[in-house]
C-alpha cells in the first residue's frame, strides 16, 4: 500500500509517495512531465542499483532519459559537481521544460534540486530519495544547496520538487552506517515537537534497526507528515522551520571542522543533538535523565554521542559562527524546553562551554 | 523631481526611482534594510566614480558597508566572478539579513542579483543601475544570471530586488558606445507594443543622443512603465514576458558566436532586431518601409544594423538552438506583426535564411 503525504505549500503543493516498487512505476512521474524528457542525476553508488529499472520504466512510456552520474559523497557537494550537471544539461540541450530527477541520497537531492533551481532560471524537479535520511528529511521541503569551504549549505535556493517518491525497497541496500545516520533525523522529529513519536521510537527501535518494512514505512510517513506541516507553515524559514535544525549548528561545525564527508551528516547531527541537550540542561530546561534518554536512543541506533573537540572550544565556536542562523553576529540555537518541545534561542557563552565540556572527547 | 514606477509583482512589489542625485541620498535605501549592513558589488570602472558617495551616504546613517569590486565586462559574467562574490561574503560573514547592492551596469546587476538569490538561499537585494541599458531594462523584473560557454544567461534565477535606484546623473560618465547600446533596449519597447513611444523616439532621438536629461528621464520612465506592466503580468516568463526578448535570440547567438564582450549586449540586440524585422518581412508581416524604419532609428543611435555572419547560416542556427526559448527542439522567436506589435512564433527555415541573407555581412 502506498502512503501519501501532501506538502501544502501555497504556490506549489506536491505529494510524497511512500511505498514499495515505486521506482519501476513511471506512471506517476510521466503524468507530471511538461515534456517527455528527463535528466536523471545520480551517483556511482546508487546508479548501478536503481538507474536501470527507473530508465526502463520511463522509456517504456516514451520518455527520453539523459543520465548524469556524479561521484559519491558529501565532499563532492561542490561548485565543481554542480558545474558537471550544468555542462551535461547544456551539451545535451536540456530545455526549460525538461524535468530533473534526483536519484540518490541527500547530497544528490540537494545538488540536483539546486541545479533545477538555476538551470535556465528554473526547470521542473522530482525527488527519488534512496536513503533513509533523504526520505525522512532532505528530499522534502525544497531546501537545496551546495557546500562552500567556509560553510555547509551556504549556497543554494528554496526550490520545491513536484513529487517525492520514497521507495522503501531502496533502503534494503543501504549500508548500516548510512541507515543509522538517517535515524538521527528520524529521532530529531520526536525531540522537536512529537513526544509521542519519540516514545514510539524508543519502543520500536530494535525493529526499525532490523529494517522491518512496516515499521519503517510508519516512521517515514510520520516524519514526512511532521516536516510537511512545518514547511507548509514557513517555507522560507522565517520562523518555526528553523526548529528542524535541532543539532545542526553544532553538527555543521563538526562536518566543516572534520572535513566534509569524514562524519556523515546524520552522525554529526546526532552528536550535535547531544550537545544541544547538554546546553539545554545548562539552561535549566532538561534534567540529567532527559539528556540520558537522548543519548540512550542515539546509542541504540549506533550513532555517535560524543563529539570531536575540533581543536578546542574556541575553534568549535568559530565554526558555528559561520552558520546561516546568525543575526547581527549572534547565533540562534535550537534548544529543548523539554523532550518533544524545541525552541529557538540564544546560548550564553557559559552554556556552550558547559555543553562542549560534557559532550566532546577530551582534547589531546 | 524623482519619478516613481511601481513594479506590482504580487509576492514582492517594489519601486523604481528615477531622478538625480539619488546615489548620495541613502534614506530610501536604509529604510528597507533588515539590518544596518550591506555588501556593495561593483566593478573597476564604476567603483572609482560612484562607490565613494554611496558609501559615505550609507555610513552617515550608521550602515556598515562591505565593498566587492569585480573586473569589468561581459566576459567576466561567469561562475568564477560569482564565486568571488561568495568568497567575499563568507569571509566577511555576511548574514541572511545583509542586503546586497548592485552598483553598475547589466553585468553587475545580473551577477549580484544571482548572488543574492543563492547566498544562504536568498538575501535582500537592491539595484543601482548606472548604465542606460541597466536603467531601462536589466535592473527591472528580477531576471538574474551568469553566462556559460555554451549559452548566454543559462544559469540564473528569477529574483526580485527590493528597490531600483536609477540615477540619471550616472549616465553623464557613460561612454558613447555603452550609451548607444542602452538605446537598443529603449527602441525595443517601442517596437514590442508601444508604437506611440516609437514615434516619440523618432522625433526626439537627436536630443536623447545629446543626453538631454529631461528627455532621458522621460524615456527611462516610459521603458520602466512598460517593463513593469509586462513583468507584473508574467513574472516567470510563461507567456507574454518573452516579448521583451525581441532581437535577443539572434543577439545571443551573436554574443556567444563572437565571444562574450566583443559585441556589447545592446549592439547584438540591435542587429538582432534588424534580423527579426527581416524575418517578419519574409513572413509577410512587415513591408520594406517598416524594415527601413527600424534600421533608420538604430542607425541614428550609431548601433550596428548588419550582423556578423558567424561563419555561415548553419553555425548561426546552431548557436540560436542553444537559446532558452526552445521547446521540443523548436526555437520560439519574437516577431513583429507590425511595428509596435510583437508576437511569439516559430520561423520556417526559409524565413531564417532569408533574414540572415539580408542582414548579415557577406561571408568571406
Amino acid at each position: 500500500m502506498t502512503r501519501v503525504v501532501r506538502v501544502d505549500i501555497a504556490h506549489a503543493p506536491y505529494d510524497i509517495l511512500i511505498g514499495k516498487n515505486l521506482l519501476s512505476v513511471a506512471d506517476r512521474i510521466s503524468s507530471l512531465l511538461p515534456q517527455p524528457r528527463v535528466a536523471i542525476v545520480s551517483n556511482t553508488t546508487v546508479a548501478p542499483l536503481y538507474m536501470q529499472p527507473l530508465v526502463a520504466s520511463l522509456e517504456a512510456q516514451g520518455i527520453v532519459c539523459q543520465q548524469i552520474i556524479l561521484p559519491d559523497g558529501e565532499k563532492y557537494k561542490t561548485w565543481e559537481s554542480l558545474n558537471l550537471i550544468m555542462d551535461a544539461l547544456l551539451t545535451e540541450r536540456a530545455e526549460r521544460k525538461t524535468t530533473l530527477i534526483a536519484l540518490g541520497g541527500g547530497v544528490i537531492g540537494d545538488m540536483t534540486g539546486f541545479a533545477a533551481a538555476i538551470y535556465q532560471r528554473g526547470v521542473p524537479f522530482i525527488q527519488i530519495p534512496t536513503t533513509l535520511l533523504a526520505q525522512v528529511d532532505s528530499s522534502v521541503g525544497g531546501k537545496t544547496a551546495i557546500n562552500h569551504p567556509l560553510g555547509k549549505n551556504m549556497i543554494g535556493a528554496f526550490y520545491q520538487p513536484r513529487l517525492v517518491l520514497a521507495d522503501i525497497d531502496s533502503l534494503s541496500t543501504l549500508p548500516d552506517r548510512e541507515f543509522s545516520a538517517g535515524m538521527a533525523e528520524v529521532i530529531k522529529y520526536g525531540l522537536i515537537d512529537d513526544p509521542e513519536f519519540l516514545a514510539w521510537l524508543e519502543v520500536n527501535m530494535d525493529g526499525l534497526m532490523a529494517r522491518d518494512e512496516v515499521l519503517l514505512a510508519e516512521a517515514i510517513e510520520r516524519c514526512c507528515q511532521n516536516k510537511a506541516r512545518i514547511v507548509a507553515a514557513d517555507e522560507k524559514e522565517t520562523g518555526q522551520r528553523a526548529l528542524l535544525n535541532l543539532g545542526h549548528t553544532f553538527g555543521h561545525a563538526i562536518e566543516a571542522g572534520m572535513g566534509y564527508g569524514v562524519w556523515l551528516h546524520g552522525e554529526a547531527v546526532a552528536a550535535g543533538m547531544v550537545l544541544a541537550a547538554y546546553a539545554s540542561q545548562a539552561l535549566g530546561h532538561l534534567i540529567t535523565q532527559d539528556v540520558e534518554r537522548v543519548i540512550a536512543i542515539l546509542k541504540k541506533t549506533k550513532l555517535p554521542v560524543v563529539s570531536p573537540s575540533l581543536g578546542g572550544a574556541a575553534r568549535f565556536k568559530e565554526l558555528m559562527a559561520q552558520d546561516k542562523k546568525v543575526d547581527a553576529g549572534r547565533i540562534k540555537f535550537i534548544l529543548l524546553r523539554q523532550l518533544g518541545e524545541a525552541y529557538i534561542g540564544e546560548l550564553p557563552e557559559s552554556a556552550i562551554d558547559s555543553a562542549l565540556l560534557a559532550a566532546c572527547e577530551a582534547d589531546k
Side-chain angles (χ1 to χ4, degrees), chain A residues 347-359:
Chain A
L347 269 183
E349 200 76 8
S350 61
I352 301 177
D353 289 334
S354 141
L356 291 175
L357 199 64

Side-chain angles (χ1 to χ4, degrees), chain A residues 1-164:
Chain A
M1 182 205 71
T2 302
R3 298 159 190 253
V4 183
V5 178
R6 183 80 171 165
V7 185
D8 254 322
I9 287 179
H11 66 96
Y14 57 95
D15 286 339
I16 308 165
L17 306 188
I18 303 157
K20 291 174 63 64
N21 199 28
L22 297 171
L23 273 183
S24 58
V25 182
D27 312 39
R28 190 57 202 257
I29 295 178
S30 64
S31 68
L32 289 172
L33 302 182
Q35 70 175 197
R37 185 174 170 188
V38 300
I40 306 167
V41 182
S42 192
N43 66 34
T44 48
T45 306
V46 174
L49 296 167
Y50 302 114
M51 182 66 89
Q52 200 277 327
L54 177 62
V55 168
S57 171
L58 290 168
E59 286 181 345
Q61 304 216 4
I63 295 163
V64 178
C65 301
Q66 178 183 0
Q67 300 177 30
I68 302 172
I69 317 284
L70 301 176
D72 182 18
E74 182 82 31
K75 71 175 167 180
Y76 296 105
K77 194 172 155 182
T78 59
W79 279 115
E80 289 72 26
S81 301
L82 188 68
N83 240 328
L84 290 178
I85 302 177
M86 294 295 138
D87 291 346
L89 293 173
L90 281 163
T91 303
E92 293 294 318
R93 301 201 172 165
E95 300 178 359
R96 274 187 174 165
K97 292 182 179 173
T98 303
T99 297
L100 262 61
I101 298 179
L103 177 69
V107 171
I108 287 293
D110 280 12
M111 277 203 295
T112 307
F114 189 38
I118 66 174
Y119 181 68
Q120 300 205 4
R121 299 198 184 99
V123 297
F125 165 50
I126 288 172
Q127 286 270 21
I128 305 185
T130 59
T131 66
L132 180 59
L133 185 137
Q135 292 185 355
V136 298
D137 195 57
S138 64
S139 72
V140 177
K143 275 195 182 181
T144 73
I146 55 172
N147 297 329
H148 184 281
L150 291 176
K152 182 161 161 94
N153 291 337
M154 278 294 164
I155 300 167
F158 289 97
Y159 197 73
Q160 300 296 336
R162 301 204 171 181
L163 176 70
V164 180

Side-chain angles (χ1 to χ4, degrees), chain A residues 7-14 140-144 157-161 227-242 244:
Chain A
V7 185
D8 254 322
I9 287 179
H11 66 96
Y14 57 95
V140 177
K143 275 195 182 181
T144 73
F158 289 97
Y159 197 73
Q160 300 296 336
K227 180 142 191 186
R229 174 177 40 79
I230 294 171
V231 165
D234 178 22
E235 183 192 1
K236 299 281 176 74
E237 194 168 308
T238 53
Q240 294 301 294
R241 181 170 180 165
L244 292 168

Side-chain angles (χ1 to χ4, degrees), chain A residues 271-306:
Chain A
M273 290 193 296
V274 174
L275 277 157
Y278 276 119
S280 303
Q281 183 182 17
L283 294 176
H285 299 319
L286 299 190
I287 57 173
T288 305
Q289 285 87 333
D290 292 325
V291 178
E292 282 171 355
R293 209 175 138 198
V294 174
I295 290 173
I297 190 164
L298 292 171
K299 274 189 171 168
K300 248 190 175 171
T301 63
K302 320 268 187 234
L303 281 162
V305 295
V306 175

